[in-house]
Amino acid sequence: MTSKTIISVSNLAKKYGDFEAVKGISFEVFEGEIFGLLGPNGAGKSTTLEIMETLREKTGGTVLVDGIDLDKDPDSIKKIIGVQLQTSGYYPGLNLSELIELFSGLYNRSVNPLELLDTVNLRDKAKAKYKELSGGQKQRFSIATTLINQPKIIFLDEPTTGLDPQARRNLWELIKDIRSKGTTVIITTHYMDEAEVLCDRVAIIDSGKIIALDPPDRLIDRLVATGFERPKEVKKANLEDVFISLTGHDLRTEH
Ligand code: ADP
Ligand code: MG
Protein backbone atom coordinates (compact mmCIF):
# COMPACT_ATOMS: atom_id res chain seq x y z
CA MET A 1 0.00 0.00 0.00
CA THR A 2 1.41 3.39 -0.90
CA SER A 3 0.58 5.62 1.99
CA LYS A 4 -0.41 9.18 1.30
CA THR A 5 -1.04 11.18 4.45
CA ILE A 6 -4.56 12.60 4.64
CA ILE A 7 -4.53 13.75 8.27
CA SER A 8 -1.52 15.03 10.10
CA VAL A 9 -1.74 15.86 13.81
CA SER A 10 1.27 17.36 15.62
CA ASN A 11 1.63 18.05 19.31
CA LEU A 12 -2.10 18.25 19.74
CA ALA A 13 -3.06 19.42 23.21
CA LYS A 14 -6.37 20.06 24.94
CA LYS A 15 -6.89 21.46 28.39
CA TYR A 16 -10.23 21.69 30.15
CA GLY A 17 -9.36 24.34 32.72
CA ASP A 18 -6.26 23.01 34.45
CA PHE A 19 -6.91 19.44 33.37
CA GLU A 20 -4.86 18.22 30.41
CA ALA A 21 -7.09 15.78 28.56
CA VAL A 22 -4.77 15.51 25.51
CA LYS A 23 -1.08 15.92 26.18
CA GLY A 24 0.69 16.76 22.95
CA ILE A 25 -0.04 13.83 20.67
CA SER A 26 1.19 13.39 17.09
CA PHE A 27 0.06 10.93 14.44
CA GLU A 28 -0.74 10.62 10.77
CA VAL A 29 -3.66 8.95 9.08
CA PHE A 30 -3.16 7.53 5.58
CA GLU A 31 -5.62 7.93 2.77
CA GLY A 32 -7.95 4.94 2.44
CA GLU A 33 -7.14 3.28 5.73
CA ILE A 34 -9.26 2.42 8.75
CA PHE A 35 -7.44 4.08 11.60
CA GLY A 36 -8.39 3.20 15.16
CA LEU A 37 -8.07 5.34 18.25
CA LEU A 38 -8.12 2.86 21.12
CA GLY A 39 -8.12 3.52 24.80
CA PRO A 40 -10.03 3.24 28.03
CA ASN A 41 -12.84 5.62 28.98
CA GLY A 42 -11.53 9.11 29.59
CA ALA A 43 -8.33 8.55 27.56
CA GLY A 44 -9.06 11.50 25.29
CA LYS A 45 -10.39 9.74 22.19
CA SER A 46 -13.54 11.80 21.70
CA THR A 47 -11.72 15.02 22.47
CA THR A 48 -9.13 14.23 19.78
CA LEU A 49 -11.82 13.22 17.31
CA GLU A 50 -13.97 16.28 17.90
CA ILE A 51 -10.99 18.59 17.43
CA MET A 52 -10.26 16.99 14.04
CA GLU A 53 -13.97 17.33 13.23
CA THR A 54 -13.72 21.09 13.92
CA LEU A 55 -16.31 20.72 16.68
CA ARG A 56 -14.01 21.44 19.63
CA GLU A 57 -11.24 24.01 20.15
CA LYS A 58 -7.75 22.72 20.76
CA THR A 59 -5.38 24.45 23.12
CA GLY A 60 -2.18 23.54 21.29
CA GLY A 61 -0.66 21.87 18.26
CA THR A 62 -1.56 21.71 14.60
CA VAL A 63 -4.00 19.65 12.58
CA LEU A 64 -3.90 19.31 8.80
CA VAL A 65 -6.79 17.56 7.08
CA ASP A 66 -6.18 16.83 3.39
CA GLY A 67 -3.63 19.62 3.42
CA ILE A 68 -6.01 22.13 4.99
CA ASP A 69 -4.87 23.81 8.20
CA LEU A 70 -7.57 23.58 10.86
CA ASP A 71 -6.54 27.00 12.23
CA LYS A 72 -6.87 28.71 8.87
CA ASP A 73 -9.82 27.11 7.14
CA PRO A 74 -12.08 24.89 9.26
CA ASP A 75 -14.98 25.46 6.86
CA SER A 76 -13.12 23.75 4.03
CA ILE A 77 -12.40 20.81 6.33
CA LYS A 78 -16.10 20.53 7.20
CA LYS A 79 -16.90 20.08 3.50
CA ILE A 80 -14.73 17.00 3.04
CA ILE A 81 -15.48 15.11 6.25
CA GLY A 82 -18.45 13.12 7.48
CA VAL A 83 -19.40 13.45 11.11
CA GLN A 84 -21.98 11.46 13.05
CA LEU A 85 -24.64 13.89 14.17
CA GLN A 86 -25.90 13.91 17.70
CA THR A 87 -29.08 11.86 17.91
CA SER A 88 -30.81 14.91 19.37
CA GLY A 89 -30.63 16.32 15.83
CA TYR A 90 -33.00 13.64 14.55
CA TYR A 91 -36.31 15.49 14.58
CA PRO A 92 -38.73 12.94 16.05
CA GLY A 93 -41.59 13.73 13.67
CA LEU A 94 -39.61 12.85 10.52
CA ASN A 95 -39.00 9.41 9.04
CA LEU A 96 -35.56 8.24 7.82
CA SER A 97 -36.17 9.34 4.25
CA GLU A 98 -37.28 12.78 5.35
CA LEU A 99 -34.33 13.13 7.72
CA ILE A 100 -31.92 12.39 4.87
CA GLU A 101 -33.65 14.98 2.71
CA LEU A 102 -33.37 17.50 5.52
CA PHE A 103 -29.66 16.85 6.05
CA SER A 104 -28.99 16.86 2.29
CA GLY A 105 -30.51 20.32 2.20
CA LEU A 106 -28.26 21.45 5.05
CA TYR A 107 -25.23 20.14 3.15
CA ASN A 108 -26.53 21.63 -0.08
CA ARG A 109 -26.39 18.24 -1.78
CA SER A 110 -28.99 16.30 -3.63
CA VAL A 111 -29.14 12.74 -2.41
CA ASN A 112 -31.57 9.95 -3.22
CA PRO A 113 -32.70 8.86 0.27
CA LEU A 114 -33.61 5.32 -0.81
CA GLU A 115 -30.25 4.75 -2.49
CA LEU A 116 -28.41 6.01 0.56
CA LEU A 117 -30.56 3.87 2.89
CA ASP A 118 -29.78 0.93 0.62
CA THR A 119 -26.04 1.31 1.24
CA VAL A 120 -26.65 0.76 4.95
CA ASN A 121 -29.34 -1.89 4.42
CA LEU A 122 -32.20 0.25 5.71
CA ARG A 123 -34.25 0.74 2.56
CA ASP A 124 -37.20 -1.11 4.10
CA LYS A 125 -37.11 1.32 7.04
CA ALA A 126 -37.41 4.45 4.89
CA LYS A 127 -40.79 5.30 6.41
CA ALA A 128 -39.81 4.43 9.98
CA LYS A 129 -38.93 6.98 12.65
CA TYR A 130 -35.44 6.94 14.15
CA LYS A 131 -36.80 5.97 17.59
CA GLU A 132 -38.41 2.87 16.10
CA LEU A 133 -35.05 1.41 15.03
CA SER A 134 -32.97 -1.21 16.85
CA GLY A 135 -29.58 -0.21 18.25
CA GLY A 136 -27.73 -1.56 15.24
CA GLN A 137 -30.12 0.07 12.80
CA LYS A 138 -29.73 3.40 14.60
CA GLN A 139 -25.96 3.18 14.21
CA ARG A 140 -26.27 2.25 10.54
CA PHE A 141 -28.57 5.20 9.97
CA SER A 142 -26.21 7.53 11.73
CA ILE A 143 -23.34 6.23 9.56
CA ALA A 144 -25.53 6.86 6.49
CA THR A 145 -25.86 10.50 7.54
CA THR A 146 -22.05 10.82 7.55
CA LEU A 147 -22.02 9.87 3.85
CA ILE A 148 -24.47 12.51 2.61
CA ASN A 149 -21.81 14.98 1.54
CA GLN A 150 -19.68 12.24 -0.10
CA PRO A 151 -16.82 12.88 2.29
CA LYS A 152 -13.19 11.86 1.88
CA ILE A 153 -12.97 10.99 5.56
CA ILE A 154 -15.55 9.83 8.10
CA PHE A 155 -15.22 9.90 11.85
CA LEU A 156 -17.01 7.29 13.97
CA ASP A 157 -16.96 7.59 17.75
CA GLU A 158 -17.61 4.21 19.36
CA PRO A 159 -20.16 3.17 16.75
CA THR A 160 -20.54 -0.36 18.14
CA THR A 161 -20.76 0.32 21.86
CA GLY A 162 -23.80 -1.39 23.31
CA LEU A 163 -24.62 -3.45 20.22
CA ASP A 164 -25.23 -7.19 20.18
CA PRO A 165 -22.71 -9.46 18.40
CA GLN A 166 -24.62 -9.64 15.10
CA ALA A 167 -25.20 -5.92 14.93
CA ARG A 168 -21.52 -5.38 15.68
CA ARG A 169 -20.46 -7.68 12.85
CA ASN A 170 -22.90 -6.06 10.45
CA LEU A 171 -21.42 -2.70 11.29
CA TRP A 172 -17.90 -3.99 10.68
CA GLU A 173 -18.96 -5.12 7.21
CA LEU A 174 -20.54 -1.76 6.54
CA ILE A 175 -17.42 0.11 7.64
CA LYS A 176 -15.20 -2.11 5.45
CA ASP A 177 -17.58 -1.47 2.57
CA ILE A 178 -17.32 2.27 3.00
CA ARG A 179 -13.54 2.04 3.07
CA SER A 180 -13.46 -0.16 -0.01
CA LYS A 181 -15.08 2.72 -1.89
CA GLY A 182 -12.09 4.89 -1.03
CA THR A 183 -13.27 6.69 2.10
CA THR A 184 -10.80 7.02 4.95
CA VAL A 185 -12.31 5.92 8.28
CA ILE A 186 -11.26 7.04 11.74
CA ILE A 187 -12.94 5.08 14.47
CA THR A 188 -12.71 4.98 18.24
CA THR A 189 -13.41 1.83 20.17
CA HIS A 190 -12.49 0.08 23.35
CA TYR A 191 -13.18 -3.34 21.88
CA MET A 192 -9.85 -4.87 20.96
CA ASP A 193 -11.36 -7.72 18.92
CA GLU A 194 -13.03 -5.09 16.80
CA ALA A 195 -9.84 -3.10 16.29
CA GLU A 196 -8.01 -6.28 15.38
CA VAL A 197 -10.38 -7.24 12.56
CA LEU A 198 -11.19 -3.75 11.36
CA CYS A 199 -8.23 -1.41 11.69
CA ASP A 200 -5.20 -1.17 9.43
CA ARG A 201 -3.38 0.76 12.13
CA VAL A 202 -4.26 1.72 15.68
CA ALA A 203 -3.07 4.36 18.08
CA ILE A 204 -3.46 3.36 21.72
CA ILE A 205 -4.19 6.38 23.88
CA ASP A 206 -3.97 6.40 27.64
CA SER A 207 -4.40 9.49 29.83
CA GLY A 208 -4.03 11.82 26.87
CA LYS A 209 -0.87 10.25 25.45
CA ILE A 210 -0.25 7.88 22.57
CA ILE A 211 1.54 4.89 24.01
CA ALA A 212 1.63 2.75 20.85
CA LEU A 213 0.91 3.20 17.16
CA ASP A 214 1.15 0.40 14.60
CA PRO A 215 -0.83 -2.19 12.69
CA PRO A 216 -2.52 -4.55 15.19
CA ASP A 217 -0.48 -7.48 13.90
CA ARG A 218 2.79 -5.73 14.56
CA LEU A 219 1.76 -4.78 18.10
CA ILE A 220 0.82 -8.39 18.78
CA ASP A 221 4.08 -9.75 17.29
CA ARG A 222 6.08 -7.35 19.40
CA LEU A 223 4.34 -8.51 22.57
CA VAL A 224 4.85 -12.16 21.62
CA ALA A 225 8.54 -11.45 21.00
CA THR A 226 8.89 -10.41 24.65
CA GLY A 227 7.98 -13.97 25.62
CA PHE A 228 4.35 -13.19 26.35
CA GLU A 229 2.08 -16.16 25.95
CA ARG A 230 -1.64 -16.32 26.36
CA PRO A 231 -3.16 -19.07 28.48
CA LYS A 232 -3.91 -21.88 25.97
CA GLU A 233 -7.44 -21.99 24.63
CA VAL A 234 -8.80 -25.40 25.51
CA LYS A 235 -11.84 -25.21 23.24
CA LYS A 236 -12.03 -24.32 19.58
CA ALA A 237 -15.01 -22.01 20.05
CA ASN A 238 -16.27 -19.63 22.67
CA LEU A 239 -19.73 -18.64 23.88
CA GLU A 240 -19.93 -15.82 21.35
CA ASP A 241 -19.36 -18.36 18.55
CA VAL A 242 -22.24 -20.41 19.98
CA PHE A 243 -24.46 -17.37 20.13
CA ILE A 244 -23.67 -16.30 16.56
CA SER A 245 -24.06 -19.80 15.23
CA LEU A 246 -27.44 -20.27 16.96
CA THR A 247 -28.94 -16.90 16.15
CA GLY A 248 -27.33 -16.29 12.74
CA HIS A 249 -25.59 -13.17 11.65
CA ASP A 250 -27.59 -12.25 8.63
CA LEU A 251 -28.64 -8.60 8.41
CA ARG A 252 -32.26 -9.70 8.09
CA THR A 253 -32.15 -11.32 11.49
CA GLU A 254 -31.34 -8.01 13.17
CA HIS A 255 -34.57 -6.51 14.52
P1 ADP B 1 -12.76 9.26 25.81
O1 ADP B 1 -13.54 9.61 24.61
O2 ADP B 1 -11.46 8.58 25.50
O3 ADP B 1 -13.54 8.46 26.79
P2 ADP B 1 -12.84 12.10 26.35
O4 ADP B 1 -12.10 12.74 25.24
O5 ADP B 1 -14.31 12.16 26.29
O6 ADP B 1 -12.33 10.60 26.55
O7 ADP B 1 -12.40 12.75 27.73
C1 ADP B 1 -11.04 12.86 28.11
C2 ADP B 1 -10.97 13.50 29.49
O8 ADP B 1 -11.40 14.85 29.40
C3 ADP B 1 -11.86 12.82 30.52
O9 ADP B 1 -11.20 12.84 31.75
C4 ADP B 1 -13.08 13.71 30.54
O10 ADP B 1 -13.69 13.67 31.81
C5 ADP B 1 -12.50 15.08 30.26
N1 ADP B 1 -13.46 15.93 29.56
C6 ADP B 1 -14.08 15.66 28.38
N2 ADP B 1 -14.88 16.69 28.00
C7 ADP B 1 -14.77 17.63 28.97
C8 ADP B 1 -15.36 18.92 29.17
N3 ADP B 1 -16.20 19.44 28.28
N4 ADP B 1 -15.01 19.59 30.30
C9 ADP B 1 -14.14 19.07 31.18
N5 ADP B 1 -13.55 17.87 31.05
C10 ADP B 1 -13.86 17.14 29.97
MG1 MG C 1 -15.47 9.07 24.04
Side-chain angles (χ1 to χ4, degrees), residues 16-17 19-22 39-48 56 157-158 188 190 205:
Y16 295 109
F19 175 68
E20 271 189 289
V22 178
N41 286 329
K45 303 180 297 293
S46 297
T47 300
T48 302
R56 214 176 266 246
D157 197 354
E158 291 189 27
T188 71
H190 43 237
I205 308 192

Short mmCIF file of all heavy atoms in Angstrom, two decimals, residues 16-17 19-22 39-48 56 157-158 188 190 205, ligand 1:
data_model
loop_
_atom_site.label_atom_id
_atom_site.label_comp_id
_atom_site.label_asym_id
_atom_site.label_seq_id
_atom_site.Cartn_x
_atom_site.Cartn_y
_atom_site.Cartn_z
N TYR A 16 -8.94 21.22 29.64
CA TYR A 16 -10.23 21.69 30.15
C TYR A 16 -9.90 22.35 31.48
O TYR A 16 -9.64 21.65 32.46
CB TYR A 16 -11.18 20.52 30.37
CG TYR A 16 -11.58 19.79 29.09
CD1 TYR A 16 -11.11 18.50 28.83
CD2 TYR A 16 -12.44 20.38 28.17
CE1 TYR A 16 -11.49 17.83 27.67
CE2 TYR A 16 -12.82 19.70 27.01
CZ TYR A 16 -12.35 18.43 26.77
OH TYR A 16 -12.73 17.76 25.62
N GLY A 17 -9.85 23.67 31.51
CA GLY A 17 -9.36 24.34 32.72
C GLY A 17 -7.92 23.96 32.96
O GLY A 17 -7.08 24.10 32.06
N PHE A 19 -7.05 20.86 33.65
CA PHE A 19 -6.91 19.44 33.37
C PHE A 19 -6.49 19.20 31.92
O PHE A 19 -7.15 19.65 30.98
CB PHE A 19 -8.24 18.73 33.65
CG PHE A 19 -8.24 17.28 33.27
CD1 PHE A 19 -7.46 16.37 33.97
CD2 PHE A 19 -9.00 16.83 32.20
CE1 PHE A 19 -7.44 15.03 33.61
CE2 PHE A 19 -8.99 15.49 31.84
CZ PHE A 19 -8.21 14.59 32.56
N GLU A 20 -5.37 18.51 31.75
CA GLU A 20 -4.86 18.22 30.41
C GLU A 20 -5.44 16.90 29.91
O GLU A 20 -4.98 15.83 30.29
CB GLU A 20 -3.34 18.03 30.47
CG GLU A 20 -2.52 19.27 30.30
CD GLU A 20 -1.04 18.88 30.18
OE1 GLU A 20 -0.47 18.46 31.20
OE2 GLU A 20 -0.50 18.98 29.07
N ALA A 21 -6.45 17.00 29.06
CA ALA A 21 -7.09 15.78 28.56
C ALA A 21 -6.28 15.16 27.42
O ALA A 21 -6.24 13.94 27.27
CB ALA A 21 -8.50 16.09 28.08
N VAL A 22 -5.63 15.99 26.60
CA VAL A 22 -4.77 15.51 25.51
C VAL A 22 -3.43 16.20 25.65
O VAL A 22 -3.35 17.43 25.68
CB VAL A 22 -5.41 15.80 24.12
CG1 VAL A 22 -4.49 15.34 23.00
CG2 VAL A 22 -6.77 15.09 24.00
N GLY A 39 -8.49 3.07 23.47
CA GLY A 39 -8.12 3.52 24.80
C GLY A 39 -9.27 3.39 25.75
O GLY A 39 -10.43 3.33 25.32
N PRO A 40 -8.97 3.35 27.04
CA PRO A 40 -10.03 3.24 28.03
C PRO A 40 -10.89 4.50 28.10
O PRO A 40 -10.54 5.52 27.49
CB PRO A 40 -9.27 3.04 29.35
CG PRO A 40 -7.89 3.55 29.09
CD PRO A 40 -7.63 3.39 27.63
N ASN A 41 -11.99 4.44 28.80
CA ASN A 41 -12.84 5.62 28.98
C ASN A 41 -12.02 6.75 29.58
O ASN A 41 -11.23 6.53 30.48
CB ASN A 41 -14.02 5.32 29.91
CG ASN A 41 -15.07 4.45 29.22
OD1 ASN A 41 -15.25 4.54 28.02
ND2 ASN A 41 -15.72 3.59 29.99
N GLY A 42 -12.22 7.94 29.04
CA GLY A 42 -11.53 9.11 29.59
C GLY A 42 -10.13 9.31 29.04
O GLY A 42 -9.42 10.24 29.44
N ALA A 43 -9.70 8.46 28.09
CA ALA A 43 -8.33 8.55 27.56
C ALA A 43 -8.11 9.80 26.72
O ALA A 43 -6.98 10.26 26.58
CB ALA A 43 -8.02 7.30 26.74
N GLY A 44 -9.19 10.32 26.15
CA GLY A 44 -9.06 11.50 25.29
C GLY A 44 -9.40 11.24 23.83
O GLY A 44 -9.13 12.07 22.96
N LYS A 45 -10.05 10.11 23.56
CA LYS A 45 -10.39 9.74 22.19
C LYS A 45 -11.39 10.72 21.57
O LYS A 45 -11.17 11.25 20.49
CB LYS A 45 -10.98 8.32 22.14
CG LYS A 45 -10.09 7.24 22.73
CD LYS A 45 -10.74 5.87 22.65
CE LYS A 45 -12.03 5.70 23.44
NZ LYS A 45 -11.85 5.78 24.91
N SER A 46 -12.50 10.93 22.27
CA SER A 46 -13.54 11.80 21.70
C SER A 46 -13.04 13.23 21.56
O SER A 46 -13.34 13.90 20.57
CB SER A 46 -14.80 11.78 22.57
OG SER A 46 -15.35 10.50 22.61
N THR A 47 -12.28 13.67 22.54
CA THR A 47 -11.72 15.02 22.47
C THR A 47 -10.89 15.17 21.20
O THR A 47 -11.05 16.12 20.43
CB THR A 47 -10.87 15.31 23.72
OG1 THR A 47 -11.70 15.20 24.87
CG2 THR A 47 -10.25 16.70 23.66
N THR A 48 -10.00 14.19 20.97
CA THR A 48 -9.13 14.23 19.78
C THR A 48 -9.97 14.21 18.50
O THR A 48 -9.74 15.01 17.59
CB THR A 48 -8.19 13.01 19.80
OG1 THR A 48 -7.45 13.06 21.02
CG2 THR A 48 -7.24 13.01 18.63
N ARG A 56 -14.52 21.08 18.32
CA ARG A 56 -14.01 21.44 19.63
C ARG A 56 -12.71 22.21 19.44
O ARG A 56 -11.94 21.90 18.53
CB ARG A 56 -13.72 20.15 20.41
CG ARG A 56 -13.97 20.26 21.89
CD ARG A 56 -13.74 18.90 22.50
NE ARG A 56 -14.99 18.16 22.60
CZ ARG A 56 -15.55 17.84 23.77
NH1 ARG A 56 -14.97 18.14 24.90
NH2 ARG A 56 -16.68 17.16 23.82
N ASP A 157 -17.35 7.65 16.33
CA ASP A 157 -16.96 7.59 17.75
C ASP A 157 -17.72 6.47 18.44
O ASP A 157 -18.93 6.58 18.67
CB ASP A 157 -17.26 8.94 18.42
CG ASP A 157 -16.52 9.09 19.74
OD1 ASP A 157 -15.87 8.13 20.20
OD2 ASP A 157 -16.62 10.19 20.34
N GLU A 158 -17.04 5.38 18.72
CA GLU A 158 -17.61 4.21 19.36
C GLU A 158 -18.93 3.76 18.73
O GLU A 158 -19.94 3.64 19.41
CB GLU A 158 -17.84 4.48 20.85
CG GLU A 158 -16.55 4.61 21.63
CD GLU A 158 -16.77 4.65 23.14
OE1 GLU A 158 -17.79 4.09 23.60
OE2 GLU A 158 -15.93 5.22 23.83
N THR A 188 -13.16 5.25 16.87
CA THR A 188 -12.71 4.98 18.24
C THR A 188 -13.45 3.75 18.74
O THR A 188 -14.59 3.47 18.35
CB THR A 188 -13.02 6.13 19.22
OG1 THR A 188 -14.42 6.17 19.47
CG2 THR A 188 -12.56 7.48 18.68
N HIS A 190 -13.28 0.73 22.32
CA HIS A 190 -12.49 0.08 23.35
C HIS A 190 -12.65 -1.45 23.28
O HIS A 190 -12.31 -2.16 24.21
CB HIS A 190 -12.72 0.63 24.76
CG HIS A 190 -14.15 0.88 25.09
ND1 HIS A 190 -14.61 2.11 25.47
CD2 HIS A 190 -15.21 0.08 25.05
CE1 HIS A 190 -15.90 2.05 25.66
NE2 HIS A 190 -16.29 0.83 25.43
N ILE A 205 -4.28 5.17 23.06
CA ILE A 205 -4.19 6.38 23.88
C ILE A 205 -4.50 6.04 25.33
O ILE A 205 -5.45 5.31 25.62
CB ILE A 205 -5.22 7.45 23.44
CG1 ILE A 205 -5.11 7.71 21.95
CG2 ILE A 205 -5.01 8.75 24.19
CD1 ILE A 205 -5.87 8.94 21.52
P1 ADP B 1 -12.76 9.26 25.81
O1 ADP B 1 -13.54 9.61 24.61
O2 ADP B 1 -11.46 8.58 25.50
O3 ADP B 1 -13.54 8.46 26.79
P2 ADP B 1 -12.84 12.10 26.35
O4 ADP B 1 -12.10 12.74 25.24
O5 ADP B 1 -14.31 12.16 26.29
O6 ADP B 1 -12.33 10.60 26.55
O7 ADP B 1 -12.40 12.75 27.73
C1 ADP B 1 -11.04 12.86 28.11
C2 ADP B 1 -10.97 13.50 29.49
O8 ADP B 1 -11.40 14.85 29.40
C3 ADP B 1 -11.86 12.82 30.52
O9 ADP B 1 -11.20 12.84 31.75
C4 ADP B 1 -13.08 13.71 30.54
O10 ADP B 1 -13.69 13.67 31.81
C5 ADP B 1 -12.50 15.08 30.26
N1 ADP B 1 -13.46 15.93 29.56
C6 ADP B 1 -14.08 15.66 28.38
N2 ADP B 1 -14.88 16.69 28.00
C7 ADP B 1 -14.77 17.63 28.97
C8 ADP B 1 -15.36 18.92 29.17
N3 ADP B 1 -16.20 19.44 28.28
N4 ADP B 1 -15.01 19.59 30.30
C9 ADP B 1 -14.14 19.07 31.18
N5 ADP B 1 -13.55 17.87 31.05
C10 ADP B 1 -13.86 17.14 29.97
#
